[in-house]
Amino acid sequence: MSLPSPAASPSLKPTELISASRKRQRSQSMQSDSSSSIKRSASEGPSSATPIPIMTDPISSIDSAREREIEIDAYMAEQGEEDIPTLPGSLTIEQKVARIKYLRDKPMVAGDTWYIISRQWFRPWEIACGILSDKSLESLQEKDIGPPDNSSLFDSQGNLTSNLVEHIDVEFLPEEAWSELVAWYGQPINPLPRTVIAKAFLQTALELRPPRLKVLVLKDLGPDADIAGPPHSYVTVSIKDPMKTLFKALVSAVSARSNAPYRIWKIEPGEFSGSHFPASKLASWGAELVSEGIDKTVEDNMIEPEDPFVVEFQEDGVWIVDASQVVRAPPPSAVHVPPPLFSNDNDFFSRLSNQRTSAFQNTEPFRTPSPSRRGSSSKAKESSVAPFKSFGFSKGSSKIIQEPGTLGLGNMGNTCFMNSALQCLAHTKELTHYFLSGVYQEELNPDNPLGMHGAIAEAFGLLLHRIWARDSTSTSYSPREFKSQLQRFAPQFSGYQQHDSQELVAFLLDGLHEDLNRVLKKPYVEKPDWEGGGDLELAKLAQTSWDGYMKRNDSVIVDLFQGQYQSTLVCPECEKVSITFDPFMYLTLPLPVNKKWWHVIHYVPWDPSLPHRRVPVETGRNSSFKDLKNLLGRWMGVKPKKLLTLEVFNHRFYKNLDDNVLCGDMVDNDQIFCFELPCNSRQSRSYKPKENDPFILPVILTDVIPSRPAYSNYSRGTNNFGCPFIVVVERDQAKSEDAMYDAVIERLQRWTIHDRDLYTWQADPSPSDAVTIPISTVSPIDSVAEIKENGDVSEVDGMVIESDIADQRNLGEDDSGMEPDAYIVGTKQGVFNLRLYTGYKDYTAGGYGSSNGRSEQWETRIEDMGSGAPLLKEGDAFLCEFDENMKAYYFGTSQFENSRWDEWPPFIHPEYSKAKEAAVAQKSKGITLDDCLAEFTKEEQLGEDDLWYCPRCKKHQQATKKFDLWKVPDILAVHLKRFSNSRTLRDKIDTFVDFPIEDLDLTALVGERRVGTRLAQDGVDINELGIRDVKEPLIYDLYAVDEHLGGLGGGHYRAYALNHVTEQWYHFDDSYVTRSDASHAVNSNAYLLFYKRRSNAPLGGKTNEKIEEADRKAAAEVEEEIPAEPEVQLPTPPSESGATPFPFPSTQQHNNVGYLTPRSNTRSTPTSSPPPLDDGDPTTLEAQSDDLIAEDVLTLCPLDLASQQFDFPDPPGRASPTSSVEVEPDYDDDPPRSSLFRAHANIDSWVGSSQNGLPSPAVSDPDTNPFSDMNLQKSADDSMDI
């Protein structure tokens, strides 16, 4: 079935694009005299046209021309003229580039329409116009550009791909710019108009992925009819569109009866074989009527991509179905979110849950997209006891209670980044206990201007209640409410674009911290300075900094996640030391991989007698070419400022590699040349030009260039060959064409074996015939040498001779055919034609698409510059034209056997050899988390763009900086920096990093422990310094991993997490949840690591004290409300003797049994979470009085239910999604819980059994058995259909 393009959107205003064809040649009419009439200018031929000037205001000029074209169209239509296609040459390339640039600089305004254009089309256009350069598309011209094409953004099924990253995959164009491209290059392929939407805080953004919705029409097809009819339609709307706009779009998609009465049903997501939806299936598909609402938008109603809607029209004034007979599913708040302990019906959860009044039905533990999974009929749905029967305890039901913490999170369209992060945080035991105990409600800080008015904390708390529900039968839930609050305060996460999971974790932790900040009014705190001293002063500074931070920040996030690092700066000049202490919430660790840049540099010395060499180098990927030149200068014994680095491609200079270019921006096959110059290379942006600076020109060798037509603005294409090189021309030399020719000859001689034949020689000279010629050039004073008749070279004006032709070659060789005493009398004329070219900014050919710039005649230049003035300008270049014979003699034929272009003897420096050996050793060792920590704490020098102001030197310095861990938190979140960002390259590092599951020891890396230990040995009271338990090792255990599969800008996120109730690891792939093993989390996709500190005392500090107090109050309240029950004991299953109790029950009392540490089943200190307390069991009469409970419920034994296997899919048997684009159905459809079952189905006391997939009671003591009142009931194994 062919799917419509997602570009089609009723909410987007259609744009009437300008046709690519015009009546006759518009450029002719546009160029005619303004006084002429429109008819005349339209009918006159080319002879009457005048050249159009370059526009200073591209907007006004082109818009007025466009108005003329419209009038011409009308006139030509009257005359009956045929369409004549317009060539793209009606505007020059410069004008088109200026026009598009001007339009793209316009800001986005909410409500405007912009267009998405694929980089696969836009980049070749930029290359053809000369905006960019590309070696593989060197010959591309504007005439080769086809119409705008977005085909590359769609898959084979016509769906938009997941990657829409600006400047990487796509570009954004305003409607006017898109219209221009269409007018110039033809009708577009797969246009993608998008609406600019307003976001929070006066921000606007382009809605890249407007939701595409399915639309069907309701039909009365009979009681047992299936979905039929033609394929259903789609509509695409904006999330900011009002519901009224959505309604109109839905109706228009299925019928032309826009005036007929209609109403809209929203049904459960799924796949539909047709567009005719049977009325009898509305109830089974969880249908609910949708109201237009006042001022409600699509986003407000939490409508998501691929949501299905059914349009019902009245037939003969009567609705097809009676809405009152369609029983809706219960709201999510009644499904698996028990009410908070300390709240009422007006709490946040109730208010937020009531915004969405439906949930979809589910009868299997894992989702299947086929609607055939629904086994209940509409009649059953209408039964008053049906909601409770679907809970899993009535005959004919197949639902079972899920383990707490195993709820999958549905993908709502590229929300896997959010789902994986939420699963990791939700499985942070101490954080979850804090929210489930209700303490967070007492600490909400809605008036904090830095917070989110408590909304983020409340939404997160609601989500945790769902995930850790004790009696949930749902296997997945779509966190719509949380996403709604998230994008409300963080507009960067709105829409359905992929985002970075780490950025979400950072925002969420910071948002929770501010929403729950116990400091209501933040005082001003001045940051202390380091005044010098030893360990004691350092510890005092650290404690003062931490105390100052705590005066403004005090929350559960600080107690659990925040540590402190030490930053040390040292001035390289005065050695001033600056130490500061700052908090951190997570550690971003660089990966010590791909940090080195290996390349071969083609080094060309200025002295022609020295060979050019191949120099392999090794430096940091983030090093600049300034650093590279410092390295080469040290190795070659030259000043780095006299080195010129350029990239060579296609026999010419391709890129100026100045001091600010990063080495990592160059790829392996790039040819990099480094030329030694006799003057400053002027590649530093800080260089200030001088009046006597010589000219530095590129020289390109080429075949004889055909003459160009007089009317052409550009040069003909050239056939370049050989290696380009650099010539330095002094200003006095630049006054003479012959002197410039001699300077080029001097540089050319190193590239041919017939270098002697570049000069004219004379034998048996007389002393009077001695000739003085310049041999080499130095700056700023000319260097000349006198060659005597015997070949000796004497120095003139005391200048040092850098090179000499006579010294370079053995003039006495007999095979030269010259006399032993021959000497040079001048350069040989006519070896090549020296051509002058312009447009070589930064040694590369500028101009829009021209490969060699523009040629200029010497006569024209002499006339322009005047007599006696230098004939060269900045941006000039020399092209040396060789005819066929000269080229063959000096360089050879096709094999260039007479050239020295391939003679590059290697130069291996000892530093390079040692670096190579170290790299081989590191590769064999592999990368560990310890290596990443060592890289993080390694000392480095600040860059030129990140200077530090030294208070002692009173100036900015490139100081050395070093980070150290001073204080580590109880929960350590580690961010492996896999995504690298350079100026031209964004990439992901997929290298495997080995990290421990248990026993991550950070003791040696934490400065507080080292300093505290030394101070304690010296007798200092370290408790006054806030340092405690220095003898307890800082050992961490892994409990969650957030992983990323795929490349940059797309891919898919998944999570591994340890369930602290059952001590079982699970793999969370959006809504798919499977049992796993901790070892599976250690892979090359690991992105975020979550570690918990192993301790003999409870974690969390002040937060833990508040939780324990809340638990004691809750236990006391329960004891007062629930009367004692007779104790009935069940035998304990032998396999469950070592079971682990639920660590954070909602109602508990302390005892002396103790609590379990995450790594062991042995008892530890009793000051943390105790085992659960009996909630108190109601009598059978009280149970029967609950009108929501069916009679057969009291005949069931929950232990029989617990014996059922937990039906998880086998991970190898199902391929995991490789993309997160798809939107998953939401099966959060559990009916309301009875108060009886909610009080007794206490999964807090359940643990995982080695034999059963579901938890089993931990002990047989009736005080801890939630089902003690049901133990004597008859087993219903045979009667229950589970």
Side-chain angles (χ1 to χ4, degrees), residues 1 3-4 6 8 10 159 210-218 227 230-237 246-247 249-254 264-277 285 290 298 303-312 367 369-371 373-374 1221-1225 1227:
M1 170 175 80
L3 297 178
N159 299 314
R212 188 180 71 161
L213 310 173
K214 301 174 182 178
V215 53
L216 301 88
V217 62
L218 192 68
I227 299 173
H232 62 79
S233 303
Y234 289 87
V235 296
T236 303
V237 294
L246 171 62
F247 276 34
L250 294 173
V251 173
S252 300
V254 296
I264 307 296
W265 295 87
K266 187 176 184 299
I267 60 175
E268 183 178 343
E271 297 298 327
F272 305 96
S273 58
S275 60
H276 294 167
F277 192 88
W285 280 81
V290 184
V298 173
I303 294 174
E304 297 159 5
E306 303 299 319
D307 277 355
F309 293 85
V310 178
V311 182
E312 178 188 4
R367 83 177 185 102
S370 173
R373 55 183 170 78
R374 298 166 180 80
V1221 178
E1222 64 174 283
V1223 179
E1224 300 173 349
Y1227 303 134

Side-chain angles (χ1 to χ4, degrees), residues 380 383-399 1188-1193 1231-1232 1281:
S383 172
S384 61
V385 296
F388 187 78
K389 286 186 176 182
S390 67
F391 183 69
F393 287 88
S394 60
K395 297 180 180 180
S397 174
S398 61
K399 289 198 172 185
L1188 295 179
I1189 303 180
E1191 291 183 1
D1192 56 351
V1193 174
D1281 181 16

Side-chain angles (χ1 to χ4, degrees), residues 586-641:
Y586 54 88
L587 278 181
T588 296
L589 300 183
L591 273 61
V593 63
N594 291 336
K595 287 290 184 180
K596 297 300 182 181
W597 182 73
W598 309 84
H599 215 92
V600 173
I601 307 299
H602 296 78
Y603 181 79
V604 182
W606 181 254
D607 187 349
S609 65
L610 300 177
H612 37 273
R613 312 289 293 267
R614 294 176 70 254
V615 184
V617 296
E618 177 265 345
T619 186
R621 290 188 62 86
N622 294 325
S623 300
S624 65
F625 271 83
K626 178 182 179 180
D627 302 322
L628 177 63
K629 289 192 288 187
N630 289 334
L631 177 69
L632 291 173
R634 187 175 74 251
W635 288 3
M636 297 301 177
V638 298
K639 294 182 178 180
K641 65 180 181 180

Side-chain angles (χ1 to χ4, degrees), residues 38-84:
I38 296 177
K39 294 184 178 180
R40 177 179 179 183
S41 60
S43 59
E44 285 182 344
S47 59
S48 64
T50 57
I52 183 171
I54 300 294
M55 300 179 186
T56 56
D57 183 359
I59 298 300
S60 59
S61 301
I62 296 180
D63 286 347
S64 60
R66 189 61 50 80
E67 293 175 0
R68 282 201 213 166
E69 291 179 359
I70 296 174
E71 295 181 4
I72 295 171
D73 281 339
Y75 172 75
M76 289 298 179
E78 295 175 1
Q79 302 300 317
E81 295 284 352
E82 298 293 334
D83 285 357
I84 300 177

